[in-house]
Amino acid sequence: MRNFTTRREMLKTSTAWGAAWALGSSIAPHALAQTEKPMFKISLAQWSLHKALYKGTVKHLDFAKIAKEDYGIDGVEYVDQFFSAKAQDTPYLDDMKQRAADHGVQNVLIMIDTAGPLGEPDEGKRLKAVDNHKKWVEAAKYLGCHSIRVNARSNGTPEEQAKLVTDGLHRLSEFAAGHEINVIVENHGGLSSNAAWLVGAIKAVGLPNCGTLPDFGNFHISKEEEYDRYQGVEEMMPLAKAVSAKSYDFDEQGNSVQIDFRRMMQIVLAAGYHGYVGIEYEGSKLDEPEGIRATKALLERVRDELAKA
């Protein structure tokens, strides 16, 4: 039994144990000073609701509210095409910010698909694409996001494309650095789905705010070539500033049919990543709300299992 050297020490320890008992007898006093944090956070990618957004049954300005109230998710990832004319509309962006704040939702990033290819072979068009992305860098900063997600599209041999993409990314990342915004590249088809090629291009950029957004599902290089998804995520994770948990179909146990989520999240966590993991449901067997909930439940279950491992 411990010997207390002073009455003050005894009272201090007794108070700690009392607090522990009030919170649950399994909590030790030394744990009281520690704040439990999840191994990773869960966000919602707007693309998960793209069918409803295209139909107009979901409004872009309601996205943050829907994420929190319908799904209990406090981080959102926007897609530029759903507010493509509003990047420089300050009152509109103010409305987005306020709605997110009202619901305790963090604006995480914006996915850019409409600004042109950063690896365009024609220099004039490539510079125009870089300029087109700049307004989205500014919008991301204004909304409180940490990144914009861009694409690495180009033409030519792999070596030629790497050079062109590196040039476009470097120019944009230099601009984004002045706004404290990351420029992150997703494996999104073509050579960008060759993780080794993509990592090489980003390393050639040589700027700390240029990184990756590994997507669990987008490793289709061509009709004939598929990159190993687990190898790809592992190769991309050292440069990752966000993660996309792509999902399609689920079995009766709630597991993803196409992707081993437990294995993927082990790879993600092994790289030291503990930020937002974005739900991006693209299945057809479940409707969008059901698919989002199924993906969230799977991520939460995997998180709990890995926390106990």
Side-chain angles (χ1 to χ4, degrees):
M1 179 176 289
R2 180 179 176 184
N3 293 318
F4 295 101
T5 57
T6 66
R7 175 177 174 79
R8 179 179 296 176
E9 183 182 1
M10 181 176 69
L11 290 172
K12 181 178 179 181
T13 303
S14 298
T15 301
W17 272 106
W21 181 260
L23 292 171
S25 59
S26 63
I27 302 175
H30 66 78
L32 296 176
Q34 299 176 359
T35 301
E36 289 294 328
K37 293 184 179 180
M39 301 180 78
F40 59 89
K41 297 176 284 186
I42 298 173
S43 52
L44 179 61
Q46 197 170 24
W47 191 252
S48 296
L49 290 168
H50 69 276
K51 295 176 184 176
L53 283 155
Y54 282 137
K55 290 178 183 177
T57 54
V58 166
K59 304 298 183 184
H60 169 77
L61 285 172
D62 292 330
F63 180 53
K65 175 183 177 181
I66 289 169
K68 188 62 175 287
E69 293 189 350
D70 291 5
Y71 306 108
I73 295 172
D74 64 1
V76 291
E77 303 175 8
Y78 298 106
V79 177
D80 68 336
Q81 59 189 283
F82 298 120
F83 63 122
S84 58
K86 303 294 185 179
Q88 296 173 304
D89 187 333
T90 301
Y92 190 88
L93 298 180
D94 283 336
D95 197 1
M96 287 178 63
K97 283 177 65 175
Q98 190 60 55
R99 290 175 186 234
D102 287 346
H103 292 89
V105 171
Q106 173 65 47
N107 295 325
V108 178
L109 57 87
I110 308 175
M111 298 184 178
I112 313 302
D113 293 315
T114 65
L118 292 169
E120 167 63 50
D122 180 278
E123 184 176 17
K125 292 180 179 179
R126 186 167 66 256
L127 295 179
K128 177 62 175 174
V130 171
D131 285 341
N132 289 344
H133 281 80
K134 289 179 179 178
K135 64 178 178 287
W136 290 109
V137 169
E138 294 168 342
K141 177 66 175 180
Y142 195 79
L143 290 170
C145 301
H146 64 64
S147 301
I148 63 167
R149 188 277 279 143
V150 302
N151 293 297
R153 294 197 182 97
S154 188
N155 290 300
T157 67
E159 294 75 20
E160 290 168 341
Q161 291 190 52
K163 184 177 179 180
L164 293 166
V165 165
T166 296
D167 178 67
L169 286 173
H170 192 278
R171 293 174 187 271
L172 180 59
S173 297
E174 278 190 321
F175 175 81
H179 294 75
E180 299 179 316
I181 293 294
N182 299 310
V183 175
I184 56 179
V185 188
E186 180 181 354
N187 47 304
H188 212 189
L191 273 177
S192 75
S193 291
N194 181 320
W197 178 91
L198 180 58
V199 168
I202 292 175
K203 286 183 176 179
V205 173
L207 294 174
N209 68 317
C210 186
T212 64
L213 190 163
D215 182 291
F216 292 176
N218 291 344
F219 285 99
H220 186 66
I221 299 172
S222 67
K223 292 180 179 179
E224 299 78 24
E225 189 174 5
E226 190 87 12
Y227 204 85
D228 182 271
R229 68 178 78 249
Y230 305 101
Q231 177 185 336
V233 170
E234 186 170 8
E235 289 172 341
M236 293 173 69
M237 278 310 303
L239 297 172
K241 300 181 186 299
V243 172
S244 183
K246 180 67 60 63
S247 60
Y248 303 98
D249 302 318
F250 298 85
D251 62 21
E252 293 181 356
Q253 289 71 45
N255 294 310
S256 169
V257 173
Q258 293 85 359
I259 301 165
D260 184 337
F261 265 53
R262 182 184 177 93
R263 182 178 174 186
M264 279 297 192
M265 289 312 304
Q266 286 175 322
I267 293 169
V268 168
L269 295 170
Y273 182 87
H274 299 286
Y276 279 106
V277 174
I279 293 171
E280 192 171 41
Y281 174 66
E282 279 194 350
S284 57
K285 293 184 178 179
L286 299 178
D287 65 21
E288 290 181 325
E290 290 176 319
I292 292 168
R293 292 189 178 96
T295 310
K296 180 172 183 274
L298 177 54
L299 282 171
E300 290 174 333
R301 174 159 56 85
V302 167
R303 184 171 62 187
D304 290 344
E305 290 173 355
L306 293 178
K308 297 173 182 176

